[in-house]
PDB file of all heavy atoms in Angstrom:
ATOM      1  N   ALA A1355      31.790  91.243  29.691  1.00 46.00           N
ATOM      2  CA  ALA A1355      32.959  92.094  29.578  1.00 46.00           C
ATOM      3  C   ALA A1355      34.194  91.267  29.254  1.00 46.00           C
ATOM      4  O   ALA A1355      34.967  91.616  28.370  1.00 46.00           O
ATOM      5  CB  ALA A1355      33.151  92.881  30.873  1.00 46.00           C
ATOM      6  N   ASP A1356      34.322  90.129  29.942  1.00 44.00           N
ATOM      7  CA  ASP A1356      35.478  89.268  29.717  1.00 44.00           C
ATOM      8  C   ASP A1356      35.553  88.804  28.276  1.00 44.00           C
ATOM      9  O   ASP A1356      36.609  88.818  27.645  1.00 44.00           O
ATOM     10  CB  ASP A1356      35.399  88.026  30.621  1.00 44.00           C
ATOM     11  CG  ASP A1356      35.887  88.374  32.013  1.00 44.00           C
ATOM     12  OD1 ASP A1356      36.499  89.465  32.162  1.00 44.00           O
ATOM     13  OD2 ASP A1356      35.647  87.575  32.930  1.00 44.00           O
ATOM     14  N   ALA A1357      34.437  88.357  27.787  1.00 51.00           N
ATOM     15  CA  ALA A1357      34.438  87.753  26.454  1.00 51.00           C
ATOM     16  C   ALA A1357      34.568  88.799  25.359  1.00 51.00           C
ATOM     17  O   ALA A1357      34.732  88.458  24.202  1.00 51.00           O
ATOM     18  CB  ALA A1357      33.157  86.965  26.261  1.00 51.00           C
ATOM     19  N   LEU A1358      34.475  90.051  25.720  1.00 72.00           N
ATOM     20  CA  LEU A1358      34.658  91.140  24.764  1.00 72.00           C
ATOM     21  C   LEU A1358      33.707  91.081  23.583  1.00 72.00           C
ATOM     22  O   LEU A1358      34.110  91.190  22.439  1.00 72.00           O
ATOM     23  CB  LEU A1358      36.106  91.170  24.250  1.00 72.00           C
ATOM     24  CG  LEU A1358      37.066  91.919  25.164  1.00 72.00           C
ATOM     25  CD1 LEU A1358      38.469  91.802  24.627  1.00 72.00           C
ATOM     26  CD2 LEU A1358      36.675  93.377  25.320  1.00 72.00           C
ATOM     27  N   THR A1359      32.445  90.873  23.892  1.00 83.00           N
ATOM     28  CA  THR A1359      31.452  90.974  22.828  1.00 83.00           C
ATOM     29  C   THR A1359      31.373  92.425  22.396  1.00 83.00           C
ATOM     30  O   THR A1359      31.351  93.311  23.241  1.00 83.00           O
ATOM     31  CB  THR A1359      30.071  90.551  23.338  1.00 83.00           C
ATOM     32  OG1 THR A1359      30.202  89.298  23.966  1.00 83.00           O
ATOM     33  CG2 THR A1359      29.072  90.468  22.207  1.00 83.00           C
ATOM     34  N   ARG A1360      31.357  92.622  21.089  1.00 87.00           N
ATOM     35  CA  ARG A1360      31.164  93.989  20.615  1.00 87.00           C
ATOM     36  C   ARG A1360      29.776  94.074  19.989  1.00 87.00           C
ATOM     37  O   ARG A1360      29.345  93.171  19.275  1.00 87.00           O
ATOM     38  CB  ARG A1360      32.223  94.353  19.553  1.00 87.00           C
ATOM     39  CG  ARG A1360      33.657  94.222  20.013  1.00 87.00           C
ATOM     40  CD  ARG A1360      34.001  95.194  21.147  1.00 87.00           C
ATOM     41  NE  ARG A1360      33.717  96.594  20.848  1.00 87.00           N
ATOM     42  CZ  ARG A1360      34.570  97.419  20.258  1.00 87.00           C
ATOM     43  NH1 ARG A1360      35.754  97.006  19.887  1.00 87.00           N
ATOM     44  NH2 ARG A1360      34.250  98.673  20.054  1.00 87.00           N
ATOM     45  N   ASN A1361      29.108  95.155  20.286  1.00 91.00           N
ATOM     46  CA  ASN A1361      27.740  95.320  19.775  1.00 91.00           C
ATOM     47  C   ASN A1361      27.675  96.534  18.860  1.00 91.00           C
ATOM     48  O   ASN A1361      28.032  97.634  19.268  1.00 91.00           O
ATOM     49  CB  ASN A1361      26.768  95.551  20.938  1.00 91.00           C
ATOM     50  CG  ASN A1361      26.741  94.364  21.878  1.00 91.00           C
ATOM     51  OD1 ASN A1361      26.843  93.224  21.439  1.00 91.00           O
ATOM     52  ND2 ASN A1361      26.622  94.635  23.159  1.00 91.00           N
ATOM     53  N   VAL A1362      27.193  96.299  17.643  1.00 93.00           N
ATOM     54  CA  VAL A1362      27.037  97.412  16.713  1.00 93.00           C
ATOM     55  C   VAL A1362      25.569  97.489  16.298  1.00 93.00           C
ATOM     56  O   VAL A1362      25.000  96.508  15.823  1.00 93.00           O
ATOM     57  CB  VAL A1362      27.935  97.235  15.473  1.00 93.00           C
ATOM     58  CG1 VAL A1362      27.703  98.378  14.489  1.00 93.00           C
ATOM     59  CG2 VAL A1362      29.396  97.168  15.881  1.00 93.00           C
ATOM     60  N   LEU A1363      24.987  98.639  16.525  1.00 93.00           N
ATOM     61  CA  LEU A1363      23.580  98.830  16.161  1.00 93.00           C
ATOM     62  C   LEU A1363      23.531  99.779  14.970  1.00 93.00           C
ATOM     63  O   LEU A1363      24.070 100.882  15.013  1.00 93.00           O
ATOM     64  CB  LEU A1363      22.826  99.435  17.359  1.00 93.00           C
ATOM     65  CG  LEU A1363      21.342  99.717  17.188  1.00 93.00           C
ATOM     66  CD1 LEU A1363      20.587  98.466  16.784  1.00 93.00           C
ATOM     67  CD2 LEU A1363      20.760 100.269  18.491  1.00 93.00           C
ATOM     68  N   ILE A1364      22.862  99.308  13.895  1.00 92.00           N
ATOM     69  CA  ILE A1364      22.790 100.112  12.673  1.00 92.00           C
ATOM     70  C   ILE A1364      21.326 100.473  12.434  1.00 92.00           C
ATOM     71  O   ILE A1364      20.474  99.589  12.372  1.00 92.00           O
ATOM     72  CB  ILE A1364      23.350  99.326  11.470  1.00 92.00           C
ATOM     73  CG1 ILE A1364      24.778  98.860  11.809  1.00 92.00           C
ATOM     74  CG2 ILE A1364      23.345 100.166  10.210  1.00 92.00           C
ATOM     75  CD1 ILE A1364      25.124  97.532  11.213  1.00 92.00           C
ATOM     76  N   VAL A1365      21.038 101.744  12.353  1.00 89.00           N
ATOM     77  CA  VAL A1365      19.641 102.163  12.192  1.00 89.00           C
ATOM     78  C   VAL A1365      19.504 103.140  11.036  1.00 89.00           C
ATOM     79  O   VAL A1365      20.464 103.784  10.621  1.00 89.00           O
ATOM     80  CB  VAL A1365      19.091 102.823  13.477  1.00 89.00           C
ATOM     81  CG1 VAL A1365      19.179 101.885  14.661  1.00 89.00           C
ATOM     82  CG2 VAL A1365      19.818 104.121  13.779  1.00 89.00           C
ATOM     83  N   GLY A1366      18.284 103.229  10.525  1.00 86.00           N
ATOM     84  CA  GLY A1366      18.023 104.154   9.425  1.00 86.00           C
ATOM     85  C   GLY A1366      16.589 103.985   8.967  1.00 86.00           C
ATOM     86  O   GLY A1366      15.761 103.430   9.691  1.00 86.00           O
ATOM     87  N   VAL A1367      16.303 104.438   7.794  1.00 80.00           N
ATOM     88  CA  VAL A1367      14.966 104.238   7.237  1.00 80.00           C
ATOM     89  C   VAL A1367      15.097 103.473   5.926  1.00 80.00           C
ATOM     90  O   VAL A1367      16.202 103.315   5.395  1.00 80.00           O
ATOM     91  CB  VAL A1367      14.222 105.579   7.019  1.00 80.00           C
ATOM     92  CG1 VAL A1367      14.007 106.301   8.328  1.00 80.00           C
ATOM     93  CG2 VAL A1367      14.956 106.453   6.042  1.00 80.00           C
ATOM     94  N   GLY A1368      13.972 102.982   5.444  1.00 70.00           N
ATOM     95  CA  GLY A1368      13.975 102.120   4.271  1.00 70.00           C
ATOM     96  C   GLY A1368      14.723 102.713   3.089  1.00 70.00           C
ATOM     97  O   GLY A1368      14.597 103.892   2.806  1.00 70.00           O
ATOM     98  N   GLY A1369      15.499 101.870   2.407  1.00 66.00           N
ATOM     99  CA  GLY A1369      16.147 102.304   1.185  1.00 66.00           C
ATOM    100  C   GLY A1369      17.502 102.943   1.380  1.00 66.00           C
ATOM    101  O   GLY A1369      18.103 103.420   0.435  1.00 66.00           O
ATOM    102  N   GLN A1370      18.009 102.925   2.613  1.00 73.00           N
ATOM    103  CA  GLN A1370      19.281 103.612   2.849  1.00 73.00           C
ATOM    104  C   GLN A1370      20.484 102.684   2.891  1.00 73.00           C
ATOM    105  O   GLN A1370      21.612 103.147   2.914  1.00 73.00           O
ATOM    106  CB  GLN A1370      19.215 104.388   4.165  1.00 73.00           C
ATOM    107  CG  GLN A1370      18.348 105.620   4.081  1.00 73.00           C
ATOM    108  CD  GLN A1370      18.482 106.462   5.326  1.00 73.00           C
ATOM    109  OE1 GLN A1370      18.437 105.936   6.436  1.00 73.00           O
ATOM    110  NE2 GLN A1370      18.664 107.747   5.142  1.00 73.00           N
ATOM    111  N   GLY A1371      20.253 101.383   2.973  1.00 81.00           N
ATOM    112  CA  GLY A1371      21.386 100.454   2.988  1.00 81.00           C
ATOM    113  C   GLY A1371      21.812 100.015   4.363  1.00 81.00           C
ATOM    114  O   GLY A1371      22.968  99.643   4.573  1.00 81.00           O
ATOM    115  N   VAL A1372      20.894 100.042   5.314  1.00 84.00           N
ATOM    116  CA  VAL A1372      21.193  99.566   6.666  1.00 84.00           C
ATOM    117  C   VAL A1372      21.607  98.103   6.631  1.00 84.00           C
ATOM    118  O   VAL A1372      22.609  97.686   7.225  1.00 84.00           O
ATOM    119  CB  VAL A1372      19.952  99.734   7.578  1.00 84.00           C
ATOM    120  CG1 VAL A1372      20.124  98.997   8.882  1.00 84.00           C
ATOM    121  CG2 VAL A1372      19.671 101.205   7.817  1.00 84.00           C
ATOM    122  N   ILE A1373      20.841  97.311   5.887  1.00 84.00           N
ATOM    123  CA  ILE A1373      21.086  95.869   5.853  1.00 84.00           C
ATOM    124  C   ILE A1373      22.431  95.591   5.170  1.00 84.00           C
ATOM    125  O   ILE A1373      23.188  94.713   5.589  1.00 84.00           O
ATOM    126  CB  ILE A1373      19.943  95.151   5.112  1.00 84.00           C
ATOM    127  CG1 ILE A1373      18.599  95.520   5.747  1.00 84.00           C
ATOM    128  CG2 ILE A1373      20.142  93.648   5.114  1.00 84.00           C
ATOM    129  CD1 ILE A1373      18.450  95.137   7.185  1.00 84.00           C
ATOM    130  N   MET A1374      22.725  96.362   4.143  1.00 86.00           N
ATOM    131  CA  MET A1374      23.989  96.155   3.433  1.00 86.00           C
ATOM    132  C   MET A1374      25.161  96.350   4.398  1.00 86.00           C
ATOM    133  O   MET A1374      26.070  95.522   4.448  1.00 86.00           O
ATOM    134  CB  MET A1374      24.067  97.135   2.248  1.00 86.00           C
ATOM    135  CG  MET A1374      25.244  96.931   1.335  1.00 86.00           C
ATOM    136  SD  MET A1374      26.702  97.815   1.911  1.00 86.00           S
ATOM    137  CE  MET A1374      27.314  98.554   0.430  1.00 86.00           C
ATOM    138  N   ILE A1375      25.118  97.410   5.189  1.00 88.00           N
ATOM    139  CA  ILE A1375      26.201  97.666   6.141  1.00 88.00           C
ATOM    140  C   ILE A1375      26.328  96.518   7.122  1.00 88.00           C
ATOM    141  O   ILE A1375      27.421  96.015   7.399  1.00 88.00           O
ATOM    142  CB  ILE A1375      25.939  98.979   6.915  1.00 88.00           C
ATOM    143  CG1 ILE A1375      26.129 100.168   5.980  1.00 88.00           C
ATOM    144  CG2 ILE A1375      26.855  99.072   8.118  1.00 88.00           C
ATOM    145  CD1 ILE A1375      26.278 101.471   6.703  1.00 88.00           C
ATOM    146  N   SER A1376      25.174  96.051   7.624  1.00 89.00           N
ATOM    147  CA  SER A1376      25.263  95.014   8.639  1.00 89.00           C
ATOM    148  C   SER A1376      25.766  93.702   8.040  1.00 89.00           C
ATOM    149  O   SER A1376      26.472  92.939   8.695  1.00 89.00           O
ATOM    150  CB  SER A1376      23.915  94.827   9.337  1.00 89.00           C
ATOM    151  OG  SER A1376      22.953  94.417   8.419  1.00 89.00           O
ATOM    152  N   LYS A1377      25.456  93.458   6.778  1.00 89.00           N
ATOM    153  CA  LYS A1377      25.944  92.213   6.151  1.00 89.00           C
ATOM    154  C   LYS A1377      27.448  92.283   5.930  1.00 89.00           C
ATOM    155  O   LYS A1377      28.153  91.289   6.132  1.00 89.00           O
ATOM    156  CB  LYS A1377      25.224  91.989   4.826  1.00 89.00           C
ATOM    157  CG  LYS A1377      23.780  91.556   5.046  1.00 89.00           C
ATOM    158  CD  LYS A1377      23.269  90.736   3.891  1.00 89.00           C
ATOM    159  CE  LYS A1377      21.933  90.117   4.267  1.00 89.00           C
ATOM    160  NZ  LYS A1377      20.908  90.352   3.256  1.00 89.00           N
ATOM    161  N   VAL A1378      27.902  93.441   5.500  1.00 91.00           N
ATOM    162  CA  VAL A1378      29.350  93.587   5.312  1.00 91.00           C
ATOM    163  C   VAL A1378      30.057  93.329   6.639  1.00 91.00           C
ATOM    164  O   VAL A1378      31.035  92.564   6.711  1.00 91.00           O
ATOM    165  CB  VAL A1378      29.700  95.003   4.792  1.00 91.00           C
ATOM    166  CG1 VAL A1378      31.196  95.232   4.829  1.00 91.00           C
ATOM    167  CG2 VAL A1378      29.167  95.206   3.381  1.00 91.00           C
ATOM    168  N   LEU A1379      29.526  93.935   7.678  1.00 91.00           N
ATOM    169  CA  LEU A1379      30.165  93.799   8.986  1.00 91.00           C
ATOM    170  C   LEU A1379      30.141  92.347   9.457  1.00 91.00           C
ATOM    171  O   LEU A1379      31.147  91.805   9.938  1.00 91.00           O
ATOM    172  CB  LEU A1379      29.450  94.710   9.995  1.00 91.00           C
ATOM    173  CG  LEU A1379      29.983  94.684  11.422  1.00 91.00           C
ATOM    174  CD1 LEU A1379      31.461  95.072  11.455  1.00 91.00           C
ATOM    175  CD2 LEU A1379      29.187  95.620  12.318  1.00 91.00           C
ATOM    176  N   ALA A1380      28.968  91.692   9.281  1.00 91.00           N
ATOM    177  CA  ALA A1380      28.840  90.315   9.748  1.00 91.00           C
ATOM    178  C   ALA A1380      29.792  89.390   8.994  1.00 91.00           C
ATOM    179  O   ALA A1380      30.473  88.545   9.589  1.00 91.00           O
ATOM    180  CB  ALA A1380      27.399  89.842   9.584  1.00 91.00           C
ATOM    181  N   LEU A1381      29.864  89.568   7.680  1.00 91.00           N
ATOM    182  CA  LEU A1381      30.751  88.691   6.898  1.00 91.00           C
ATOM    183  C   LEU A1381      32.214  88.947   7.258  1.00 91.00           C
ATOM    184  O   LEU A1381      33.013  88.012   7.369  1.00 91.00           O
ATOM    185  CB  LEU A1381      30.518  88.928   5.402  1.00 91.00           C
ATOM    186  CG  LEU A1381      31.299  87.984   4.484  1.00 91.00           C
ATOM    187  CD1 LEU A1381      30.864  86.546   4.698  1.00 91.00           C
ATOM    188  CD2 LEU A1381      31.165  88.371   3.029  1.00 91.00           C
TER     189      LEU A1381
END
Side-chain angles (χ1 to χ4, degrees):
Chain A
D1356 279 347
L1358 276 176
T1359 309
R1360 302 296 305 272
N1361 298 324
V1362 177
L1363 180 56
I1364 305 146
V1365 302
V1367 298
Q1370 287 189 314
V1372 168
I1373 305 299
M1374 187 273 225
I1375 289 196
S1376 62
K1377 287 207 170 130
V1378 170
L1379 180 58
L1381 185 63

